[in-house]
Amino acid sequence: MSGGSAAAGLRLQPKLTCLVLSARPARHRSAGLVKCRRESHRLKQPSPITGLYAVPTATKPAMHRSNVRCDAASVTSAVSGSPSESEEFTALAFFRIVGPTALALLLCNMDRICMSVAILPMAKEFGWPPGVQGLVQSGFLWGYMATQMIGGSLADKYGGRVVMAYSIFWFSLASVLMPAALSGPVAAAGLTLPAVMLARGMVGLGEGVALPAMNNLVANNIPPARRSTALGGCFTGFHTGNLVGLFLSPLLLATLGWRGLFFVFGALGLPLVAAWLAIVPKPPQFPGVQKAEAVPVDPIRKTPVSPVPEEVLEKTAAAQPPSGQTPPDPSLAGKVGTLKLLSSKATWAIIAVNFVNHWGYFIYLNWMPSYFVEALGVNLRKSSFLSFLPWTVMALGSTSAGLLADKLIKSGWSVTRVRKTLQTVAFLGPALALIILSRSKDPRLAVACMTCALGITSLGQAGFVANMSDIAPRYAGRLFGLANTFGSFAGILGVSAVGFIVEKTGSYNLVFKLTAVMYIAATVMWNLMCTGEKVFD
């Protein structure tokens, strides 16, 4: 169409409205694809043209008018199914989503790791051998495993904001009540062991929903191109909790005893819940429609500018369902159940890697201070500070992993290649470090090997963890809960097995060698079965 003929058929009307291309009833408008129309350039022609761009008649469904204002950026967001990736949006999302989530996970791990330090004076007071110590520390994981699937489903149904708030409140209250489980009357009744396992299991129940809630928040609020960075930021807070816990625990033990340690860490949860509810935004009323950015205006004509790019409208038309069919509704996230998730080899790749990752992680988390005290002969305070360095590197590595993954994707690497490469390094590096560790009793070399193992393992945050959002973005909470159920069971086996192996052999070498073999086997499975493509719509 020439400029002159177009001008002849234009009627100016300075108003910008949206059309929701959807065959669904008005109450489901949010599930449709949004298309902007500039009525100031309405074409008086019989052909089916909206704005300045034609839409094929064959794919044009019934239209419902919406009062949502939008621009090209928000239309692109609606077509791709992800939020606008403007710098303003990213900064706001990171401040209100990633920051508070990292802080919540920091406290989560503080309450978790304090037992690895407190177990030594507790074992001395109650006469627990290594095998019993392993059972006591595994008590947390029984509760943790029980709420993984529940947490994922609740997060997908009610949103990560609400689920995380309940999580913080529950595990903090359980930590405060922990000393009551080992009070004088309980000990006199001979119920010390079941009582402490029950108490730690209650902490695990609360913490079990935290990571599925985190994954739900990231999957539903962060653009795909920034999810690795967002997850890295969240896990930086998660691993920093280990650092803060290991730093403060010996100091609190020296001043308040192990009972005071649990009380102080638990009491920190109440102000955190208040801050969480104040900062983290509630889910939008219409989850399928992102809030639009301001529409730019031509300073001379006083009319909106920057029309919707033609390629965006082509994607809109192509995305429409055949005539007579209803487009998918994102609110129906529960339609993909557990059995459906388990039908994909990509899910089993994540489960296998998560199983091995948790096996190693919980062994490090629960037994590292004891290893330094019993195998290397250092005192309790020094063992906590020696454990500090590996967790520091792991916290930094989590952030670096996300940045590296996003940079590789932007440089042209496929998502599948990025996930496979980073996860391979994340497991083979620690395998080598543990083999070396099994052959040495030098404390300096032990710290170096532990540091390498944990630091390199953190690359997995941009490997199997980010891959959950790749293959099932709308079911990320449920998939995370499913994978973490298997992972928690691995933690129970690993933490308990270490206690009995050390009690029988007097050495940690068999533990290190077994873990190294598991890392290698999981790496093979990962490279055979992993994909970075979306599997579940």
Side-chain angles (χ1 to χ4, degrees), residues 116 119-120 133 137 363-380 382-384 386-387 390 433-434 436-451 498 502 506-512:
S116 69
I119 190 68
L120 294 170
Q133 294 177 42
Q137 298 199 77
I363 288 175
Y364 302 139
L365 184 73
N366 290 282
W367 286 102
M368 195 185 300
S370 298
Y371 167 71
F372 286 129
V373 170
E374 297 168 358
L376 303 181
V378 300
N379 61 47
L380 177 59
K382 188 176 180 180
S383 73
S384 295
L386 286 176
S387 303
L434 291 179
I436 296 173
L437 182 60
S438 68
R439 299 174 178 271
S440 174
K441 291 188 177 181
D442 183 351
R444 291 172 297 182
L445 181 60
V447 172
C449 289
M450 287 287 190
T451 301
V498 170
V502 172
S507 172
Y508 288 81
N509 290 344
L510 180 59
V511 175
F512 297 145

Side-chain angles (χ1 to χ4, degrees), residues 95-434:
F95 172 73
R96 301 191 67 184
I97 300 293
V98 178
T101 302
L103 189 60
L105 295 180
L106 183 148
L107 182 61
C108 178
N109 249 18
M110 285 175 60
D111 285 352
R112 180 186 306 188
I113 202 170
C114 65
M115 176 58 85
S116 69
V117 179
I119 190 68
L120 294 170
M122 291 171 68
K124 185 176 181 180
E125 178 177 339
F126 296 102
W128 294 336
V132 175
Q133 294 177 42
L135 290 176
V136 169
Q137 298 199 77
S138 71
F140 167 90
L141 290 165
W142 285 105
Y144 188 73
M145 179 176 65
T147 50
Q148 290 298 310
M149 284 298 297
I150 297 173
S153 298
L154 290 175
D156 287 341
K157 183 175 183 180
Y158 297 106
R161 177 181 181 270
V162 173
V163 174
M164 184 69 83
Y166 278 104
S167 170
I168 298 169
F169 177 79
W170 181 274
F171 72 69
S172 298
L173 180 62
S175 292
V176 169
L177 297 177
M178 171 68 184
L182 293 172
S183 60
V186 174
L191 299 175
T192 299
L193 182 59
V196 72
M197 290 190 67
L198 176 62
R200 288 300 288 173
M202 297 297 287
V203 177
L205 282 173
E207 294 197 12
V209 302
L211 288 180
M214 172 212 71
N215 221 35
N216 176 275
L217 283 166
V218 170
N220 287 284
N221 292 279
I222 306 297
R226 301 300 303 274
R227 282 179 190 158
S228 294
T229 300
L231 286 171
C234 293
F235 275 100
T236 296
F238 184 77
H239 299 309
T240 301
N242 294 328
L243 305 180
V244 177
L246 287 171
F247 178 78
L248 293 179
S249 292
L251 303 179
L252 291 173
L253 281 174
T255 55
L256 302 176
W258 63 265
R259 292 173 176 83
L261 169 63
F262 288 108
F263 180 81
V264 171
F265 280 12
L268 294 174
L270 294 180
L272 181 58
V273 171
W276 174 269
L277 294 175
I279 296 174
V280 179
K282 295 181 180 179
Q285 184 177 1
F286 301 106
V289 179
Q290 300 296 329
K291 183 178 179 180
E293 300 175 6
V295 178
V297 177
D298 188 309
I300 298 177
R301 300 177 182 176
K302 305 300 182 183
T303 57
V305 296
S306 299
V308 181
E310 186 170 0
E311 60 269 18
V312 173
L313 297 183
E314 291 175 354
K315 289 183 180 179
T316 304
Q320 298 304 306
S323 177
Q325 290 189 14
T326 301
D329 186 350
S331 66
L332 303 177
K335 293 301 181 182
V336 172
T338 301
L339 293 179
K340 181 67 174 179
L341 291 174
L342 290 172
S343 67
S344 170
K345 65 179 183 180
T347 299
W348 284 105
I350 292 173
I351 289 174
V353 169
N354 199 36
F355 184 95
V356 176
N357 181 75
H358 276 63
W359 170 280
Y361 178 83
F362 282 108
I363 288 175
Y364 302 139
L365 184 73
N366 290 282
W367 286 102
M368 195 185 300
S370 298
Y371 167 71
F372 286 129
V373 170
E374 297 168 358
L376 303 181
V378 300
N379 61 47
L380 177 59
R381 177 171 293 188
K382 188 176 180 180
S383 73
S384 295
F385 291 138
L386 286 176
S387 303
F388 191 87
L389 181 60
W391 294 113
T392 301
V393 175
M394 190 172 197
L396 295 175
S398 294
T399 299
S400 302
L403 294 172
L404 175 60
D406 288 342
K407 185 175 181 179
L408 290 174
I409 292 172
K410 289 179 181 179
S411 69
W413 282 38
S414 69
V415 175
T416 300
R417 183 184 178 191
V418 171
R419 302 300 183 226
K420 285 186 175 182
T421 300
L422 293 183
Q423 189 59 57
T424 297
V425 176
F427 270 7
L428 293 186
L432 178 60
L434 291 179

Side-chain angles (χ1 to χ4, degrees), residues 4-181:
S5 62
L10 296 178
R11 175 168 60 87
L12 293 179
Q13 183 179 351
K15 179 181 179 183
L16 185 68
T17 63
C18 288
L19 293 180
V20 179
L21 303 186
S22 174
R24 301 187 65 80
R27 67 177 181 272
H28 292 301
R29 288 177 191 169
S30 62
L33 295 172
V34 180
K35 180 173 183 295
C36 290
R37 180 174 72 178
R38 180 177 300 158
E39 291 190 352
S40 59
H41 298 288
R42 182 177 296 165
L43 301 180
K44 297 180 178 180
Q45 296 187 15
S47 59
I49 297 181
T50 57
L52 298 180
Y53 307 97
V55 178
T57 304
T59 60
K60 181 181 177 183
M63 298 182 182
H64 300 286
R65 189 178 300 274
S66 170
N67 292 325
V68 180
R69 294 179 62 84
C70 61
D71 64 357
S74 61
V75 173
T76 303
S77 170
V79 172
S80 64
S82 62
S84 169
E85 297 189 41
S86 67
E87 291 300 322
E88 293 81 7
F89 170 83
T90 301
L92 180 63
F94 270 69
F95 172 73
R96 301 191 67 184
I97 300 293
V98 178
T101 302
L103 189 60
L105 295 180
L106 183 148
L107 182 61
C108 178
N109 249 18
M110 285 175 60
D111 285 352
R112 180 186 306 188
I113 202 170
C114 65
M115 176 58 85
S116 69
V117 179
I119 190 68
L120 294 170
M122 291 171 68
K124 185 176 181 180
E125 178 177 339
F126 296 102
W128 294 336
V132 175
Q133 294 177 42
L135 290 176
V136 169
Q137 298 199 77
S138 71
F140 167 90
L141 290 165
W142 285 105
Y144 188 73
M145 179 176 65
T147 50
Q148 290 298 310
M149 284 298 297
I150 297 173
S153 298
L154 290 175
D156 287 341
K157 183 175 183 180
Y158 297 106
R161 177 181 181 270
V162 173
V163 174
M164 184 69 83
Y166 278 104
S167 170
I168 298 169
F169 177 79
W170 181 274
F171 72 69
S172 298
L173 180 62
S175 292
V176 169
L177 297 177
M178 171 68 184

